[in-house]
Amino acid sequence: AYLCWDDGLGALVAKSTGGQRSSRLLSMRSADALLQLPQASGCLPTGSLVTALLIGHSLSITSALQSSVAIPFPPGCVTSTSEATFKLAGNDNKPIVGVLTVSDRASRGLYEDISGPLIVEVLKEYLATECHYMCRMVPDEVPFIEAALRQMVAAGCALVCTTGGTGPAERDVTPEAMALVCSKRYDGFGEAMRRASLDAGVPTAILSRQCAASAGKTLIINLPGKPNAIRTCLDAVFPAVPYCIDLLGGAYLQGNPDKVKVFRPPGK
């Protein structure tokens, strides 16, 4: 397997060259990375992607990985919630959009994250502006969610979309973590998203605690964890998103008129 950075996943991954099985203990002496293999029997097909944790000699050759975003090693080791750990390399001035999946099971690899990549797909449709997408996945724990949000804010994300953790269950704590990071809350976003879901025939939308808030120049929007609700909720609020970011002093985002009608006052 060889290591490479995947901007869509926001993670270092290992790409199988075929016949990859779990490592034997003796091979650890010369290993460059630990691979998180799925819980399954047999061989991984050629071209399979799995999360990789750098160890050993690879730490001295990270510049060869061609990552557009620098991350700490290992990616989940951040303990400080105020330290800026993401930085764009070079002089690229593209706006940054953060996507944070909050899920105990997905973060443990028990099932595939569908909602996070779907958010990226929808935003790429709605935005005419080319952006970097910084994607993270964390369990339903306030410290992990808070740390990831602070990292994205420190990286200069204009927009952060979270998915998951907005319901009434005991471990649904995304709004609580966001409250620790943000200074202003915009209840209208949550009201519009819940109304859109109700209109789409989802009576349990009233249980959602999703909302939007800002931290500095970053707008953070909570989206549901269910993939089929992602587009419904983004459709309801996205026309106001670019101008809201304008008012926060964030990056200028242009909407794709073929997909969505973004509102800006005349002359803006």
Side-chain angles (χ1 to χ4, degrees):
Y2 64 90
L3 299 177
C4 60
W5 176 265
D6 189 303
D7 279 317
L9 295 175
L12 186 69
V13 298
K15 192 166 186 178
S16 171
T17 54
Q20 181 70 44
R21 294 180 182 269
S22 58
S23 298
R24 295 181 179 179
L25 193 59
L26 290 177
S27 68
M28 289 292 294
R29 296 182 60 184
S30 58
D32 292 318
L34 297 177
L35 309 184
Q36 183 179 337
L37 302 182
Q39 294 181 338
S41 60
C43 298
L44 288 179
T46 301
S48 298
L49 292 179
V50 297
T51 302
L53 171 62
L54 281 184
I55 61 175
H57 301 296
S58 289
L59 289 174
S60 64
I61 58 167
T62 54
S63 61
L65 297 175
Q66 301 300 315
S67 167
S68 63
V69 179
I71 62 172
F73 295 99
C77 72
V78 181
T79 56
S80 170
T81 58
S82 60
E83 185 176 343
T85 53
F86 288 94
K87 294 181 181 179
L88 281 178
N91 297 317
D92 195 331
N93 292 320
K94 294 178 185 176
I96 312 170
V97 174
V99 177
L100 179 62
T101 299
V102 181
S103 169
D104 285 330
R105 289 181 293 169
S107 65
R108 295 198 301 266
L110 299 182
Y111 69 73
E112 181 185 4
D113 173 27
I114 298 175
S115 297
L118 180 58
I119 291 173
V120 174
E121 177 184 326
V122 174
L123 290 178
K124 284 184 176 180
E125 289 180 18
Y126 290 178
L127 286 169
T129 303
E130 188 175 354
C131 300
H132 285 293
Y133 290 86
M134 179 185 297
C135 304
R136 291 288 306 277
M137 189 186 305
V138 296
D140 291 279
E141 299 281 356
V142 168
F144 287 97
I145 303 169
E146 179 190 359
L149 290 175
R150 290 191 185 279
Q151 291 164 3
M152 290 178 172
V153 171
C157 286
L159 172 66
V160 173
C161 291
T162 73
T163 173
T166 60
E170 182 178 358
R171 291 193 62 77
D172 288 333
V173 293
T174 300
E176 285 76 13
M178 189 174 72
L180 298 174
V181 177
C182 297
S183 57
K184 292 183 179 180
R185 178 184 170 108
Y186 310 105
D187 292 323
F189 279 80
E191 294 164 3
M193 290 187 284
R194 282 186 287 274
R195 172 52 57 190
S197 294
L198 286 168
D199 291 344
V202 184
T204 53
I206 61 175
L207 303 179
S208 176
R209 299 182 299 126
Q210 64 195 98
C211 66
S214 61
K217 298 179 180 181
T218 302
L219 175 65
I220 302 175
I221 303 174
N222 300 147
L223 296 172
K226 293 185 179 300
N228 57 4
I230 298 294
R231 190 178 293 271
T232 298
C233 290
L234 280 175
D235 280 347
V237 300
F238 193 82
V241 167
Y243 185 54
C244 180
I245 295 172
D246 290 350
L247 295 175
L248 295 174
Y252 188 86
L253 300 179
Q254 290 183 313
N256 178 358
D258 294 332
K259 295 293 182 178
V260 65
K261 186 177 181 180
V262 167
F263 172 80
R264 277 190 172 97
K268 297 292 184 179

